Amino acid sequence: MDPRIEDYALIGDEQTAALVSRYGSIDWLCLPRFDSAACFAALLGDEDNGHWRISPKGAGPCTRRAYRPDTLVLDTEWETDEGAVRVTDLMPQRDVAPDVVRVIEGLSGRVTVQSQLRLRFDYGSIVPWMRRAEGHRVAVAGPDSVWLRSEPPVRTWGKDFRTYSEFTVEAGQKVAFVLTWHPSHEPRPPLGDPFEALRSSVEDWQAWAAGCRYDGPHRDAVVRSLITLKALTYSPTGGIVAAPTTSLPEELGGVRNWDYRYCWLRDSTLTLGALLSAGYHEEAEAWRDWLLRAVAGDPADLQIMYGLSGERRLTEFELPWLSGFAGSTPVRIGNAAVEQLQLDVYGEVIDSLALSRRSGLPFKPHMWRVWCALMDFVRTAWRQPDEGIWEVRGPRRHFVYSKVMAWVAADRAVRALESEPALGGDLEGWRAMRDEVHREVCERGFDPERNTFTQSYGSRELDASLLLIPRVGFLPPDDPRVVGTIDAVRAELDNNGFLRRYDIDPSGAVEVSVDEAELSVSETEVSLSETEMSVSSPGKHVVDGLPGGEGTFLVCSFWLAEALHATGRKQEARELFDRLVALTNDVGLLSEEYDPVAGRQLGNFPQAFSHIGLVSTALALFGGDRAG
């Protein structure tokens, strides 16, 4: 079986999530939280690393599958020689403990159904001790305990460290399985009714989806993206994870495999804007409040990402016993990029606070103090080189997008004080900073010969993040420099009609881009203390220090569609948006990247940034009077 990322569907309970394959197998599930160790890790290894498959006995992939309209409840159907059967998968909103509910229903004929459960705690490395208790199967290993039951009871047995169940269903007959996790030192939580859980889950999701204010083209895709963002929300805190998975590769067989089960500040403004515009103020306020708690403290210690509750230590390590998706290793847990300096996040946080203020979200008393503290830091820090929005693991540089977002920080602070002087702050100092940053970016980050902004000062390389220059208001859309940048990015980063983030040298070589003015020894032997790298010649491009390549980055293509729309090329924008929506899999989900040659999704899945891009672009292109 050739695994494909797009073959999976998502279920979840807003605290964790599972991926379900076309074969009816749950191949990824972390309990009890998104960032907990997986008890089903076949996604990143094989079936011995844990999975739970329910399907007709001997059947292959399903005949069809779909979410129930406007829900996260998944129906998977098989048509066999014996008859037809449906498996409905969901994770109900939890009261005490997380549950996975799987309801099997006969549609026609008489079908033999088999359940095969392999629980493997700690990312597929620990085989639990299985026993019977109170008529249920119980798996225990260390801190984890999982209970399996069925209603009505069906024949169940253990063999080769697996748990099997087998039964038959006729048209109209139903059997439900419930898998419940709880800490092993605590008693089993109360039993719930799986059929009632299914009914209430459908009602709750549909009621939530009905709150969407968008009513333009591709509404189904927009609602599906909003449901996905809701599913990626950790409801106790309001934080939104970038994805529920780790180490799904950006190149099949490659090493660009990262853990995305955390909350990135770079997503904050776009997430907040999408939720507010679509009508979801409660979720927007919860995300804004998570943001305020996460960034509290010394502004110099601001991180680019945090844990679900704002945790700061996300130590990166590898799991050598997992073979990786499609042989892509290493499998990583944690994310070392948490230690990087990315100056753009200061602008993104301040822009988020400004947006929440303009949108009428409750303005908490300490918000302005946080805002001012961030501004005090960024007034001097903006001059430093950093790792940039894409978390390159090469040397630091003066990334143009980072400087633009420093301008955003100053601009939003100035505008806030101008509209409400009583807030108090260094208005003239912030204005001066805003003017200085703008002047420097236009002088050092722009290539007049090619009429385009560049990835970093003195480089010739481009970066898809430059497409956001008009969106954040740094320059108007009709400025010739903006139009030239859009055209250059579109031409140079194109891959079969979609955009790469930036140019990558597949060899992984690292070369540093410098201005002539920054050379400190000679033109051929240069040492730059601020990057702590030695380089051999000026004007060379910088790559990210990693071997191999990656796919086109989906959110960048959404940005291009927005930029085209803003510059008056509305038909081109709509055609690109249509092609992007067509990349969603059969249940409407998008990963981080796409390989247009192989026609495959790549990267962690489903990806919040991609779905945020879909919602934001739909609102920009078609919103008008149809959305908030």
Side-chain angles (χ1 to χ4, degrees), residues 397-400 444-445 454-461 513 542:
R397 289 185 288 163
H398 291 284
F399 285 99
V400 169
R444 301 182 65 191
T454 58
Q455 186 180 54
S456 61
Y457 290 173
S459 73
R460 291 184 58 82
E461 279 59 55
S513 168
V542 181

Side-chain angles (χ1 to χ4, degrees), residues 53-358:
R53 181 177 179 183
I54 297 180
S55 65
K57 188 175 182 179
C62 65
T63 306
R64 68 184 69 87
R65 64 176 181 172
Y67 287 113
R68 297 201 180 176
D70 291 350
T71 77
L72 201 67
V73 176
L74 179 70
D75 286 330
T76 305
E77 297 181 2
W78 286 263
E79 293 181 358
T80 73
D81 292 339
E82 297 177 304
V85 68
R86 175 191 299 134
V87 176
T88 300
D89 290 319
L90 66 144
M91 293 188 70
Q93 290 291 311
R94 69 176 74 171
D95 293 323
V96 178
D99 292 320
V100 177
V101 175
R102 314 194 73 181
V103 178
I104 302 90
E105 180 180 3
L107 302 178
S108 66
R110 180 181 175 87
V111 182
T112 301
V113 177
Q114 187 176 78
S115 166
Q116 182 182 144
L117 172 69
R118 297 189 204 187
L119 281 162
R120 300 293 185 266
F121 295 125
D122 193 28
Y123 300 103
S125 67
I126 296 175
V127 180
W129 172 49
M130 297 288 294
R131 61 185 175 87
R132 288 186 181 271
E134 303 175 34
H136 305 156
R137 291 275 175 172
V138 185
V140 176
D144 297 296
S145 180
V146 168
W147 292 65
L148 175 70
R149 62 188 174 94
S150 65
E151 293 187 17
V154 298
R155 176 173 172 257
T156 301
W157 70 97
K159 180 181 178 182
D160 299 330
F161 303 104
R162 309 170 199 175
T163 300
Y164 291 92
S165 300
E166 189 170 300
F167 53 96
T168 59
V169 289
E170 299 179 356
Q173 289 184 331
K174 296 180 181 180
V175 173
F177 285 86
V178 182
L179 184 136
T180 303
W181 178 95
H182 70 94
S184 59
H185 65 278
E186 295 181 359
R188 175 184 58 77
L191 301 179
D193 182 340
F195 302 105
E196 172 60 23
L198 171 57
R199 185 197 63 78
S200 62
S201 291
V202 170
E203 289 183 357
D204 290 347
W205 275 111
Q206 289 178 341
W208 185 87
C212 176
R213 296 204 306 232
Y214 176 77
D215 193 28
H218 297 297
R219 187 181 189 277
D220 287 347
V222 170
V223 171
R224 176 55 50 198
S225 291
L226 288 165
I227 289 173
T228 303
L229 292 175
K230 177 74 167 171
L232 298 181
T233 300
Y234 184 65
S235 59
T237 66
I240 300 175
V241 296
T245 56
T246 178
S247 300
L248 289 180
E250 298 175 14
E251 178 185 45
L252 294 181
V255 301
R256 297 169 183 263
N257 317 317
W258 314 110
D259 193 345
Y260 275 20
R261 298 171 299 157
Y262 308 111
C263 308
W264 265 257
L265 297 189
R266 74 181 183 201
D267 303 358
S268 58
T269 307
L270 296 173
T271 303
L272 199 64
L275 290 172
L276 288 169
S277 296
Y280 292 103
H281 283 239
E282 181 178 339
E283 287 75 15
E285 184 177 355
W287 169 245
R288 192 278 313 272
D289 290 348
W290 174 89
L291 189 67
L292 283 170
R293 293 191 300 270
V295 304
D298 187 342
D301 297 331
L302 190 72
Q303 298 182 176
I304 66 168
M305 72 182 85
Y306 294 85
L308 306 176
S309 302
E311 298 91 345
R312 293 175 177 246
R313 296 188 184 276
L314 310 177
T315 305
E316 183 177 303
F317 59 95
E318 298 176 4
L319 303 182
W321 61 85
L322 290 177
S323 58
F325 183 89
S328 307
T329 56
V331 172
R332 294 182 173 96
I333 303 300
N335 200 311
V338 72
E339 301 171 2
Q340 291 187 349
L341 173 66
Q342 293 181 24
L343 292 171
D344 64 286
V345 299
Y346 291 88
E348 282 144 1
V349 170
I350 289 174
D351 199 18
S352 295
L353 299 181
L355 175 59
S356 69
R357 182 172 174 269
R358 294 195 308 271

